[in-house]
Amino acid sequence: MRGWEKYVRKVEPYVPGEQPKGNRLIKLNTNENPYPPSPKVMAALQTMEADALRKYPDPASGGLKEALARYYGLETNQVFVGVGSDDVLGMAFLTFFNADKPILFPDVTYSFYPVWAGLFRIPYVCPPLDAGFGLHKEDYFRENGGIIFPNPNAPTGIALALEEIEEIVRRNKDVVVIVDEAYIDFGGQSALALAKRYENLLVVQTFSKSRSMAGVRIGYAMGSPALIEALENVRYSYNSYTMNLPSQILGVEAVRDQAYFAESVGKIVTTREETKGWLREMGFSFPDSQANFIFASHEKVDAAKLFNALKQEEIYVRYFKQPRLENFLRITIGTDEEMNQLREFLERYTLSDAVRPRPAGT
């Protein structure tokens, strides 16, 4: 080892979903929205003045905060914005999880959580989900240094009932509880309704999924003014200009176009429910997803082999080679045309000799 290497922080990095290139491929592996952003977003992008880019953006992202606060019925001091929800969550780990006690998050969940815990040297414990990937609130009624979980969960898509979330928050008033709602617009009840009663609750959402703006990188947190102030103090101690000007402008327009937002989310939910039907007919099983993806396993088809077969056809889904998940594929909901092409391939593949069970005695 070279002398300086002993001072380098060693972490196990997060592995993002593959970003393949090409015009013919079907990309169902990173939970992006298959529809474009609001036309108002595109119009604002075309009329943006280039001269404005030579100046620093508003460090407080005031316009975007105001739009979000108005939309959710909050005050601006109850909203924090960052460069995607990953930035917001990472800042929240750094800000709130500083006890000697371990934080708690599920064993099957967003795989960035253990990465942040390792990076910031935060001890953690992962209560296991049950055999059906359900989260048991009782597992979080113990001493801890903070709690975080997605709702709906990733990669399972299962949503936890609001009353169960409230009980977790109520029984952990001495620590911060973070509910990561990246997929809440597709199903389930937001925990934001609880934020007025519990000052230790932080709700995190994103523009990347339901608002079709993963490439713009906007995430936000909502909670008590005390929590938001703590986040802002850490952010200003780290980087005052995290949110660029185009993101601030385009984000405001996205929030304003409620009709387009509802239409886009509605199409995805309709396609998701239709997809559940024909996947079941083919022998797939999966938790009842309330997100914009389905976490599916086949009774006879090896997930790793199917993943590679799909990739050869330029159809990309997500495969997690880890315990409990090795026979599941996470399939993002695409357009109806994309899902029909996936269906046609799966019909051919699941009926092929390669996966057909052998007759008895052979």
Side-chain angles (χ1 to χ4, degrees):
M1 178 182 291
R2 290 162 290 190
W4 56 266
E5 287 187 292
K6 61 185 176 183
Y7 302 112
V8 175
R9 179 164 296 195
K10 306 296 193 302
V11 294
E12 187 70 31
Y14 171 73
V15 180
E18 188 174 358
Q19 297 291 346
K21 307 296 181 184
N23 297 322
R24 293 180 57 253
L25 60 86
I26 297 175
K27 191 170 182 292
L28 308 176
N29 66 326
T30 48
N31 297 342
E32 295 146 328
N33 194 313
Y35 302 107
S38 159
K40 292 183 179 180
V41 171
M42 305 311 294
L45 184 63
Q46 293 169 0
T47 58
M48 195 176 301
E49 295 183 5
D51 185 61
L53 298 180
R54 68 181 178 82
K55 302 175 183 178
Y56 284 109
D58 175 9
S61 302
L64 181 55
K65 281 187 181 181
E66 289 175 9
L68 287 166
R70 192 178 308 114
Y71 179 80
Y72 289 103
L74 303 171
E75 300 297 327
T76 54
N77 64 353
Q78 294 176 278
V79 180
F80 174 88
V81 299
V83 185
S85 60
D86 285 343
D87 178 49
V88 175
L89 289 167
M91 202 72 67
F93 268 65
L94 185 62
T95 304
F96 301 119
F97 296 159
N98 294 292
D100 294 330
K101 303 168 188 175
I103 64 170
L104 305 177
F105 52 83
D107 67 330
V108 177
T109 192
Y110 185 29
S111 54
F112 223 140
Y113 297 163
V115 173
W116 282 313
L119 178 62
F120 300 131
R121 298 177 179 172
I122 301 167
Y124 65 92
V125 171
C126 298
L129 301 181
D130 63 25
F133 297 117
L135 182 151
H136 292 276
K137 62 182 185 297
E138 294 80 7
D139 291 336
Y140 297 82
F141 301 166
R142 65 170 88 172
E143 197 171 21
N144 64 78
I147 294 171
I148 182 169
F149 57 88
N151 194 52
N153 194 16
T156 66
I158 298 175
L160 192 64
L162 188 61
E163 55 268 24
E164 295 186 85
I165 296 174
E166 180 169 15
E167 193 165 358
I168 292 173
V169 178
R170 182 173 59 82
R171 287 176 174 260
N172 290 278
K173 290 184 178 180
D174 291 334
V175 299
V176 174
V177 178
I178 303 174
V179 183
D180 181 358
E181 295 187 341
Y183 304 100
I184 196 64
D185 293 321
F186 302 105
Q189 271 186 288
S190 174
L192 185 59
L194 305 175
K196 292 181 180 179
R197 299 200 297 275
Y198 300 96
E199 65 176 7
N200 63 317
L201 172 64
L202 190 74
V203 177
V204 178
Q205 295 189 15
T206 179
F207 281 52
S208 296
K209 317 300 182 184
S210 55
R211 296 192 185 276
S212 306
M213 295 175 71
V216 179
R217 312 306 301 130
I218 302 175
Y220 54 105
M222 299 171 287
S224 67
L227 290 184
I228 300 305
E229 182 181 13
L231 277 171
E232 294 286 14
N233 288 342
V234 171
R235 181 176 71 86
Y236 280 120
S237 301
Y238 177 71
N239 184 352
S240 299
Y241 297 101
T242 54
M243 178 68 67
N244 65 68
L245 178 62
S247 293
Q248 294 182 30
I249 293 172
L250 302 182
V252 169
E253 295 305 318
V255 174
R256 287 175 175 169
D257 198 346
Q258 173 62 13
Y260 183 85
F261 166 74
E263 178 187 359
S264 176
V265 169
K267 288 192 291 187
I268 291 170
V269 170
T270 297
T271 303
R272 180 191 71 201
E273 295 307 304
E274 292 173 351
T275 301
K276 289 178 182 178
W278 54 257
L279 282 175
R280 286 192 189 98
E281 291 175 359
M282 291 185 195
F284 286 91
S285 59
F286 40 83
D288 187 24
S289 175
Q290 298 300 301
N292 67 334
F293 57 82
I294 297 173
F295 193 55
S297 176
H298 195 275
E299 57 189 350
K300 298 172 183 175
V301 179
D302 180 81
K305 291 181 179 178
L306 178 53
F307 168 76
N308 288 317
L310 285 163
K311 195 171 181 179
Q312 289 179 4
E313 293 291 314
E314 293 194 280
I315 301 174
Y316 289 81
V317 297
R318 192 76 187 268
Y319 175 60
F320 300 92
K321 190 176 182 180
Q322 61 190 73
R324 301 189 69 187
L325 309 183
E326 63 272 2
N327 203 40
F328 285 84
L329 297 177
R330 193 192 68 192
I331 305 167
T332 302
I333 301 301
T335 63
D336 286 339
E337 181 182 355
E338 290 173 328
M339 301 313 287
N340 285 335
Q341 291 183 58
L342 172 68
R343 180 179 185 175
E344 291 172 3
F345 174 82
L346 291 177
E347 285 176 340
R348 296 194 306 271
Y349 188 86
T350 56
L351 293 175
S352 70
D353 291 334
V355 298
R356 188 179 298 156
R358 293 183 179 182
T362 63

